[in-house]
Amino acid sequence: MRLSLFSDYSLRVLMFAALKGETFSLSEVAEAYSISRHHLVKVVNYLAKLGYLETRRGRGGGISLGMPPEEIHIGMVVRRTEDSPIIVECFDAQHNTCPINGSCRLKGALAQAVNAFYESLDRHTLRDLVAGAAGTGMKKQLLPQE
């Protein structure tokens, strides 16, 4: 399974926010990851709409986490940021043209794999991703001046 860039960037922004621990600008996160501000605008707006981030405009504004990192489950973030969990045609009843649909066991096997993928991600929170030595290393790379 492959995550979209939107999901990838969403997770990166959330990790940055958790590591930063305070309000930051879109430019800061764009520079830290060498990602276009244009791409991140959509990501940040969507994450704010979902409640994962808070955004404030104007003087004294910026971006910050909208909830504690231990309440942000990675599986749910990925579910909410992925456009389509359809990994093969037969998962989409409206567009399925596979002649062996209904007698093929591949669909069931793939559905189990997708469920296992999300169940694994559900066991991790944003806090888990930025804790300990890994978090310290990421902080040094992304926030070298702090």
Side-chain angles (χ1 to χ4, degrees):
M1 184 156 186
R2 183 181 176 140
L3 293 181
S4 66
L5 274 179
F6 192 85
S7 291
D8 179 18
Y9 291 172
S10 294
L11 294 168
R12 290 191 208 192
V13 169
L14 290 172
M15 287 190 297
F16 185 90
L19 291 166
K20 183 79 174 180
E22 60 186 39
T23 303
F24 60 94
S25 71
L26 194 61
S27 295
E28 285 179 80
V29 72
E31 184 178 320
Y33 288 116
S34 298
I35 298 173
S36 159
R37 279 184 94 254
H38 175 74
H39 291 341
L40 290 177
V41 168
K42 294 175 187 176
V43 168
V44 167
N45 286 335
Y46 189 69
L47 292 173
K49 179 180 169 187
L50 295 175
Y52 294 123
L53 295 176
E54 287 183 3
T55 59
R56 290 173 300 287
R57 292 180 181 242
R59 189 175 182 102
I63 305 162
S64 60
L65 278 180
M67 59 181 69
E70 60 274 8
E71 292 179 16
I72 300 175
H73 292 270
I74 303 308
M76 186 54 67
V77 173
V78 173
R79 280 182 188 90
R80 295 171 101 183
T81 57
E82 279 299 304
D83 282 339
S84 174
I86 298 169
I87 59 172
V88 289
E89 179 186 4
C90 59
F91 277 41
D92 185 357
Q94 292 181 332
H95 299 101
N96 184 15
T97 61
C98 182
I100 59 173
N101 188 46
S103 59
C104 176
R105 293 185 179 175
L106 179 61
K107 182 177 180 178
L110 291 173
Q112 281 182 327
V114 169
N115 288 337
F117 172 77
Y118 283 114
E119 286 172 8
S120 178
L121 291 178
D122 285 338
R123 291 191 289 272
H124 302 280
T125 66
L126 182 59
R127 166 76 68 216
D128 298 332
L129 297 184
V130 299
T136 302
M138 285 188 289
K139 199 168 190 175
K140 285 179 184 175
Q141 291 174 309
L142 297 174
L143 308 167
Q145 65 278 8
E146 294 185 14

